[in-house]
Amino acid sequence: MENHSLPRTAAFFDLDKTVIAKSSTLTFSKSFYQGGLINRRAVLRTAYAQFVFLVGGVDHDQMERMREYLSALCRGWNVQQVREIVAETLHDLIDPIIYDEAASLIEEHHAAGRDVVIVSTSGAEVVEPIGALLGADRVVATRMVVEDGCFTGEVEYYAYGPTKAEAIAELAESEGYDLSRSYAYSDSVTDVPMLESVGHPHAVNPDRSLRREASARGWPILNFNRPVRLKQRVPSLSMPPPPVLAAAAAVGAAAAAGLVWYTARRRTPTRGLVTLQAGQSARV
């Protein structure tokens, strides 16, 4: 347990490919299709985009183009409809792809008295119910502007790159976290600012650039490869009630369709687009 005479500490987790095995946004594509948010052609392309994401991820320029595209794409979407889609399908889609290793780390950090914070570029409507499912204490996620119950197409807050580190610094100030004794986990080189803001950074299933960076800095490289249903790990664990899960996913939907668009653009020669090393373990 934490020594309570010392300042509080926290563990900050990226979401996609760090806590769950896929992209949280792309995972909902079929549900979004069934809800009428994207068409059948987009579903097929999204499946390919998920493959591209899992194999190589997306770089900074591609993410920026995705952000611009999804901002326009979600304009006019009914927020309540998106939340209901996520609430209805969260358990079936997300529970089976949570990494056992990540769930264990979350449990260990809680047992040590640390807060657990999910810090994800995916939309709050996706990330908040996933955070509730995982038992996270706080969530930092992208937020869209809403007027009259619909998305305007404008991004209110973009949780990406240096912005994640800024959010962590603000939480440390408001919650009294000692970042030099805190932990962070991510798979992407775009999260280097987040990782270097704490005393115990870890690269999880890192992309090539982050693997090089972690090796150069001496950061632990962890390999998570065992997705498992939470109820199989902890039979007594119960799902949060539907009203909690209904805090769900429009930016996620937009990002999913955005990655679809990006994947199609990648097929042209000059165009681009728009949540540990085996044998090593985190010291908690």
Side-chain angles (χ1 to χ4, degrees), residues 202-215:
H202 294 76
V204 178
N205 300 338
D207 57 32
R208 292 178 182 176
S209 297
L210 180 57
R211 183 175 294 276
R212 287 195 298 268
E213 190 75 19
S215 297

Side-chain angles (χ1 to χ4, degrees), residues 13-28 50 53-54 90 93-100 102-103 106 118 120 122 126-127 130-131 133-134 187 204-205 224 226-228 230 275:
F13 287 82
D14 177 45
L15 182 59
D16 299 351
K17 294 174 68 176
T18 301
V19 175
I20 64 175
K22 298 181 180 180
S23 161
S24 55
T25 57
L26 297 178
T27 298
F28 285 95
Q50 180 77 274
F53 174 80
L54 292 175
L90 178 71
L93 295 179
I94 299 299
D95 194 3
I97 62 173
I98 296 170
Y99 283 122
D100 185 30
I106 289 172
I118 303 297
S120 175
S122 294
V126 167
V127 181
I130 294 177
L133 178 67
L134 294 165
D187 71 293
V204 178
N205 300 338
F224 291 175
R226 297 194 307 271
V228 63
L230 289 181
T275 86

Side-chain angles (χ1 to χ4, degrees), residues 52-66:
V52 171
F53 174 80
L54 292 175
V55 172
V58 291
D59 62 24
H60 172 76
D61 290 341
Q62 293 161 352
M63 284 295 293
E64 284 301 300
R65 295 187 183 99
M66 177 189 293

Side-chain angles (χ1 to χ4, degrees), residues 170-231:
E170 291 173 3
L171 274 177
E173 179 69 22
S174 63
E175 301 298 327
Y177 297 144
D178 179 355
L179 293 183
S180 69
R181 296 169 49 241
S182 293
Y183 295 70
Y185 304 85
S186 178
D187 71 293
S188 174
V189 71
T190 62
D191 283 339
V192 165
M194 166 178 149
L195 293 172
E196 64 186 5
S197 69
V198 301
H200 301 283
H202 294 76
V204 178
N205 300 338
D207 57 32
R208 292 178 182 176
S209 297
L210 180 57
R211 183 175 294 276
R212 287 195 298 268
E213 190 75 19
S215 297
R217 296 183 183 225
W219 293 346
I221 300 175
L222 310 179
N223 179 38
F224 291 175
N225 55 23
R226 297 194 307 271
V228 63
R229 286 185 179 273
L230 289 181
K231 286 190 175 182

Side-chain angles (χ1 to χ4, degrees), residues 52-270:
V52 171
F53 174 80
L54 292 175
V55 172
V58 291
D59 62 24
H60 172 76
D61 290 341
Q62 293 161 352
M63 284 295 293
E64 284 301 300
R65 295 187 183 99
M66 177 189 293
R67 179 181 62 82
E68 294 172 1
Y69 179 74
L70 70 87
S71 299
L73 180 67
C74 74
R75 185 180 297 117
W77 286 6
N78 182 278
V79 177
Q80 186 58 33
Q81 179 190 8
V82 177
R83 290 177 174 172
E84 289 173 357
I85 290 173
V86 173
E88 291 169 0
T89 58
L90 178 71
H91 178 68
D92 290 338
L93 295 179
I94 299 299
D95 194 3
I97 62 173
I98 296 170
Y99 283 122
D100 185 30
E101 299 94 334
S104 294
L105 266 181
I106 289 172
E107 292 169 354
E108 291 172 20
H109 282 300
H110 272 149
R114 302 185 188 96
D115 282 358
V116 170
V117 183
I118 303 297
V119 186
S120 175
T121 303
S122 294
E125 292 80 6
V126 167
V127 181
E128 288 176 0
I130 294 177
L133 178 67
L134 294 165
D137 299 282
R138 288 170 184 78
V139 161
V140 175
T142 295
R143 299 188 303 271
M144 299 295 288
V145 176
V146 177
E147 290 182 1
D148 299 323
C150 296
F151 292 98
T152 67
E154 299 298 320
V155 177
E156 177 183 351
Y157 174 79
Y158 188 41
Y160 174 74
T163 307
K164 286 188 177 183
E166 293 169 5
I168 288 174
E170 291 173 3
L171 274 177
E173 179 69 22
S174 63
E175 301 298 327
Y177 297 144
D178 179 355
L179 293 183
S180 69
R181 296 169 49 241
S182 293
Y183 295 70
Y185 304 85
S186 178
D187 71 293
S188 174
V189 71
T190 62
D191 283 339
V192 165
M194 166 178 149
L195 293 172
E196 64 186 5
S197 69
V198 301
H200 301 283
H202 294 76
V204 178
N205 300 338
D207 57 32
R208 292 178 182 176
S209 297
L210 180 57
R211 183 175 294 276
R212 287 195 298 268
E213 190 75 19
S215 297
R217 296 183 183 225
W219 293 346
I221 300 175
L222 310 179
N223 179 38
F224 291 175
N225 55 23
R226 297 194 307 271
V228 63
R229 286 185 179 273
L230 289 181
K231 286 190 175 182
Q232 292 178 345
R233 303 180 70 258
V234 187
S236 62
L237 185 66
S238 60
M239 287 288 292
V244 174
L245 297 182
V251 177
L259 266 182
V260 169
W261 176 87
Y262 157 65
T263 302
R265 298 276 288 182
R266 278 191 64 169
R267 295 179 179 176
T268 64
T270 61

